[in-house]
Amino acid sequence: MKATARAYTNIALIKYWGKRDEVLFLPMNSSLSITLDKFYTTTTVEFCSCLSTDVFVLNNKLANEQELANVTRVLDLIREISGKEYRGIVNSVNHVPTAAGFASSASGFAALTAAASKALGLELNSSELSRLARQGSGSACRSIHGGFVEWQKGENEDGSDSFAKQILSNHDWDLSILSVQLNYGAKVVSSREGMKRTRDSSPFYSGWLATIEQDIKTAKEAIQSRDFEKLGQIVETNAFKMHATTLGADPPFMYWNSATYDVIQEIQYLRSVGIQAYFTIDAGPNVKVLCDPKDEKDVYEQLIHMPVVQGIKLCHPGPGITYLSNSSRE
Amino acid sequence: MKATARAYTNIALIKYWGKRDEVLFLPMNSSLSITLDKFYTTTTVEFCSCLSTDVFVLNNKLANEQELANVTRVLDLIREISGKEYRGIVNSVNHVPTAAGFASSASGFAALTAAASKALGLELNSSELSRLARQGSGSACRSIHGGFVEWQKGENEDGSDSFAKQILSNHDWDLSILSVQLNYGAKVVSSREGMKRTRDSSPFYSGWLATIEQDIKTAKEAIQSRDFEKLGQIVETNAFKMHATTLGADPPFMYWNSATYDVIQEIQYLRSVGIQAYFTIDAGPNVKVLCDPKDEKDVYEQLIHMPVVQGIKLCHPGPGITYLSNSSRE
């Protein structure tokens, strides 16, 4: 009754922004992502008949009550499917910068879902895993898969049709994703709070929803035809729109800071000299830059020398859930 | 047949953003401004029976064809009212930084309208002047008046009810407006092009229009009750919304740059330490900061030492159209 799984973070190319159901983590809109090959969470779950409560160790420290409650909520779903009532010990190690627009909760809940269901002997397919992971953290449903992934928002009230599907494997199109870490601290508004405030109060939210299906369609066409420029343009457009919606919220807020802007301007400069690079920004100040692998060295060199840049991690499309043998962990 | 008038620029507190009629300069939404006491245009118009064409001298240089055509268009309207066909010599001097979010066209067309109509002996009231100035440049209709001014968008197709009214004189409420000039060049997208692109392509434009009347109402209440904090909040909220709409345009664009952001963050910092200062931003990177006159020295000191700040001009609410005696100009 023990299993270990690794899941990688993903960055949204077309953003998940707003829930229609806060409990089931059902999104207002479909989204599209790339799973990355560098940032991941490794989680071991061991169920045991002798435990009276779940135990959650995160990065070698006992997790706090809220973190434990989130984990227990997902374990409960898996216990319900398996019909087994055992409590579990969850040991999770994040190799992800947290709370700055890098979705550590995505890799975390994906790895937890995979490890826990395997530990209880369930043979779930990836759609079932994705649906479960979604109930830990929305974007976790995308980290079940590698490569290019679409999370279809679904229509059903119970969320049964809201899960992610792979649209292209990580082996089928190589891109460079530069994860640019800026000299600034953690974000002020969590993505959970940010999307709620935006959905409930921004006069721009309806405009966001009205254009998202077309954005998804354009991005999928670009991916299917390996059209990098088309993909880059829609990715930037979509990121701009997501961040615009926050400026209309009550009270308004923004995830960017002046360093974010500096990097945006640098990317625009790179394009003006013929290097096709495009950015996206999640719910935090840090920037991810997409480019063709042949340009990654030039883009890296250009950005790493900016005073506002603290570091750059170079990523490529990564795999989905990977199970590690328990012996290799023990 | 000669007259000289001076008009001051204004800054929009609730923004004019989008035209419903490109020829008559009719706006999609009402707007609200403060006329400033520091930036102005002085214009002398002399009509003469011996001229075969209008002549336009701008800042002691002969204006280009497009500039002349814009001036002639306004002179034609005034000639039509007066029934006189004389051509005129227009001599205009701007004391305004141009094309960086400081509306030099506002003071320019207001001064032109006033000087030209006086030179032809017309006795127009301020509403009539405002309506005419609007047809030179939309926001010019607000610079006819001093102090706090509302431009009511009107409903009529011919624009007869689209002009500005004073809502509070510059003597009735003193505010400090710090016009912060940044170390950056002119804007890339003109406000004319920017508002057109936004109106035609941004999915957020309808959200902008849906909330503008409430913004105007809130700002007017704040002005009537001299509630500075309430005014500052709605001014910032409205500026955020205007700039958010541009991020949804096709292609997206933005008037801010990283220096703009630095100043925004500094203002937020000032508020966190108890100094009530608020910003607004027009169609360019520069920032205007509103504060209580008792705080203006503190705010000035805080901002002037920022590396991105090139200079600050300290303004207060200024007067409307002023006529200068010709003898003093000759």
Side-chain angles (χ1 to χ4, degrees):
Chain A
M1 292 200 296
K2 181 174 180 180
T4 298
R6 175 173 293 170
Y8 294 81
T9 63
N10 65 79
I11 58 157
L13 302 177
I14 305 295
K15 307 296 184 191
Y16 158 43
W17 195 238
K19 295 182 180 66
R20 67 177 198 271
D21 185 312
E22 302 269 338
V23 175
L24 292 171
F25 288 74
L26 297 176
M28 293 292 287
N29 61 273
S30 299
S31 57
L32 200 147
S33 61
I34 303 183
T35 301
L36 301 182
D37 65 347
K38 286 291 188 308
F39 303 122
Y40 59 90
T41 301
T42 305
T43 297
T44 300
V45 180
E46 179 163 23
F47 288 98
C48 184
S49 60
C50 59
L51 286 171
S52 63
T53 175
D54 294 322
V55 176
F56 179 27
V57 178
L58 175 61
N59 297 330
N60 300 314
K61 282 191 290 197
L62 207 60
N64 68 32
E65 247 178 72
Q66 182 58 54
E67 290 165 333
L68 175 62
N70 293 338
V71 160
T72 291
R73 199 180 65 238
V74 173
L75 293 182
D76 283 346
L77 297 170
I78 294 166
R79 282 189 278 252
E80 199 184 328
I81 296 170
S82 74
K84 294 173 184 155
E85 279 301 313
Y86 307 126
R87 302 287 113 182
I89 300 176
V90 176
N91 192 332
S92 204
V93 181
N94 276 333
H95 302 268
V96 183
T98 48
F102 295 91
S104 65
S105 57
S107 56
F109 281 102
L112 173 71
T113 303
S117 53
K118 182 139 195 273
L120 282 182
L122 296 173
E123 300 284 342
L124 302 179
N125 66 30
S126 61
S127 299
E128 291 167 318
L129 284 177
S130 177
R131 205 162 18 222
L132 284 168
R134 189 202 75 223
Q135 293 170 75
S137 171
S139 57
C141 76
R142 298 188 307 236
S143 277
I144 297 296
H145 303 282
F148 297 83
V149 179
E150 182 184 7
W151 175 12
Q152 296 173 330
K153 71 185 176 78
E155 303 291 342
N156 300 344
E157 269 186 42
D158 65 356
S160 54
D161 57 350
S162 186
F163 55 88
K165 290 181 179 171
Q166 187 183 66
I167 54 178
L168 197 69
S169 134
N170 48 314
H171 304 298
D172 288 339
W173 194 22
D174 192 22
L175 286 183
S176 300
I177 304 108
L178 292 85
S179 177
V180 182
Q181 186 88 30
L182 302 172
N183 287 320
Y184 282 84
K187 59 189 168 188
V188 189
V189 180
S190 73
S191 57
R192 181 180 295 211
E193 157 65 15
M195 61 174 76
K196 183 168 164 46
R197 194 192 299 174
T198 301
R199 195 203 64 175
D200 292 347
S201 68
S202 174
F204 304 134
Y205 193 67
S206 59
W208 163 260
L209 290 181
T211 55
I212 197 87
E213 287 299 329
Q214 182 57 50
D215 287 3
I216 296 251
K217 186 165 171 285
T218 302
K220 282 169 79 171
E221 287 167 3
I223 291 166
Q224 297 300 355
S225 60
R226 318 287 198 275
D227 184 337
F228 177 67
E229 201 172 320
K230 182 173 179 174
L231 181 64
Q233 279 170 2
I234 193 66
V235 164
E236 271 194 19
T237 299
N238 185 264
F240 268 137
K241 285 195 292 191
M242 172 195 139
H243 290 274
T245 65
T246 74
L247 296 175
D250 180 20
F253 64 103
M254 49 186 174
Y255 288 114
W256 304 356
N257 58 36
S258 62
T260 312
Y261 247 79
D262 280 326
V263 176
I264 291 176
Q265 289 176 307
E266 198 66 21
I267 299 302
Q268 291 171 336
Y269 164 75
L270 281 171
R271 285 210 296 274
S272 77
V273 297
I275 298 175
Q276 292 304 310
Y278 296 89
F279 61 85
T280 187
I281 304 162
D282 284 321
N286 291 319
V287 181
K288 286 90 184 173
V289 180
L290 306 179
C291 68
D292 193 284
K294 76 175 163 45
D295 294 324
E296 72 178 33
K297 200 154 176 271
D298 288 346
V299 175
Y300 182 93
E301 283 302 318
Q302 192 72 25
L303 297 177
I304 197 68
H305 292 112
M306 295 180 69
V308 297
V309 171
Q310 192 174 71
I312 298 176
K313 194 99 171 185
L314 183 57
C315 306
H316 290 266
I321 287 292
T322 313
Y323 294 98
L324 308 181
S325 71
N326 283 319
S327 58
S328 75
R329 298 273 308 165
E330 281 163 3
Chain B
M1 293 201 294
K2 181 175 181 179
T4 298
R6 175 173 294 169
Y8 294 81
T9 63
N10 65 79
I11 58 157
L13 302 178
I14 305 295
K15 306 296 185 191
Y16 158 44
W17 195 238
K19 295 182 180 67
R20 67 177 197 270
D21 185 312
E22 301 268 338
V23 175
L24 291 172
F25 287 75
L26 297 177
M28 293 291 289
N29 62 273
S30 299
S31 57
L32 200 147
S33 61
I34 303 183
T35 301
L36 302 181
D37 65 348
K38 285 290 188 309
F39 303 122
Y40 59 90
T41 301
T42 306
T43 297
T44 301
V45 180
E46 180 163 23
F47 288 98
C48 184
S49 59
C50 57
L51 286 170
S52 62
T53 175
D54 293 323
V55 176
F56 179 27
V57 178
L58 175 62
N59 297 330
N60 299 314
K61 284 192 287 196
L62 207 60
N64 68 32
E65 249 177 69
Q66 182 58 54
E67 290 166 333
L68 175 62
N70 292 338
V71 161
T72 290
R73 198 180 66 236
V74 172
L75 293 182
D76 283 345
L77 296 170
I78 295 166
R79 281 188 278 252
E80 198 184 329
I81 296 170
S82 74
K84 293 174 184 155
E85 280 301 314
Y86 308 127
R87 303 287 115 182
I89 300 177
V90 176
N91 192 332
S92 203
V93 180
N94 275 334
H95 301 269
V96 183
T98 48
F102 294 92
S104 64
S105 58
S107 57
F109 282 102
L112 173 72
T113 302
S117 55
K118 182 139 194 274
L120 282 181
L122 296 173
E123 299 283 344
L124 302 179
N125 65 31
S126 61
S127 299
E128 291 166 318
L129 284 176
S130 176
R131 205 160 21 220
L132 284 167
R134 189 201 75 224
Q135 294 170 74
S137 171
S139 57
C141 77
R142 299 188 307 235
S143 276
I144 298 295
H145 302 282
F148 297 81
V149 179
E150 181 185 7
W151 174 12
Q152 297 172 328
K153 72 183 176 79
E155 302 293 342
N156 300 343
E157 270 186 40
D158 66 356
S160 54
D161 57 350
S162 185
F163 56 87
K165 289 181 179 170
Q166 186 182 67
I167 54 179
L168 196 71
S169 134
N170 48 314
H171 304 298
D172 288 339
W173 194 22
D174 192 20
L175 287 183
S176 300
I177 304 108
L178 291 85
S179 177
V180 181
Q181 186 88 29
L182 302 172
N183 287 321
Y184 283 84
K187 59 189 168 187
V188 189
V189 180
S190 73
S191 57
R192 179 180 295 211
E193 158 65 15
M195 61 174 76
K196 182 166 165 48
R197 194 191 300 174
T198 301
R199 194 203 66 176
D200 292 346
S201 69
S202 175
F204 305 133
Y205 193 66
S206 60
W208 163 260
L209 290 180
T211 55
I212 197 87
E213 286 300 328
Q214 183 57 50
D215 287 3
I216 296 251
K217 186 165 171 286
T218 303
K220 283 169 79 169
E221 286 167 5
I223 291 166
Q224 296 300 354
S225 60
R226 316 289 197 274
D227 184 337
F228 177 67
E229 201 172 321
K230 182 174 180 174
L231 180 64
Q233 278 170 1
I234 192 67
V235 164
E236 271 195 17
T237 298
N238 185 263
F240 268 138
K241 286 195 290 189
M242 173 194 137
H243 289 275
T245 65
T246 74
L247 295 175
D250 180 20
F253 64 103
M254 49 184 174
Y255 288 114
W256 303 356
N257 58 37
S258 62
T260 312
Y261 247 79
D262 280 327
V263 176
I264 290 175
Q265 289 176 307
E266 197 66 22
I267 299 302
Q268 291 171 335
Y269 164 76
L270 281 170
R271 285 211 295 276
S272 77
V273 297
I275 297 175
Q276 292 303 311
Y278 296 89
F279 62 83
T280 187
I281 304 163
D282 284 322
N286 291 318
V287 181
K288 287 91 185 171
V289 180
L290 306 179
C291 69
D292 192 285
K294 75 175 164 48
D295 294 324
E296 70 178 34
K297 201 155 175 274
D298 288 345
V299 175
Y300 181 93
E301 284 300 318
Q302 192 73 23
L303 297 178
I304 197 68
H305 291 113
M306 294 180 69
V308 297
V309 171
Q310 192 174 72
I312 298 175
K313 194 98 171 187
L314 183 57
C315 305
H316 290 266
I321 287 291
T322 314
Y323 295 98
L324 308 180
S325 70
N326 284 319
S327 58
S328 77
R329 296 275 309 167
E330 282 164 0

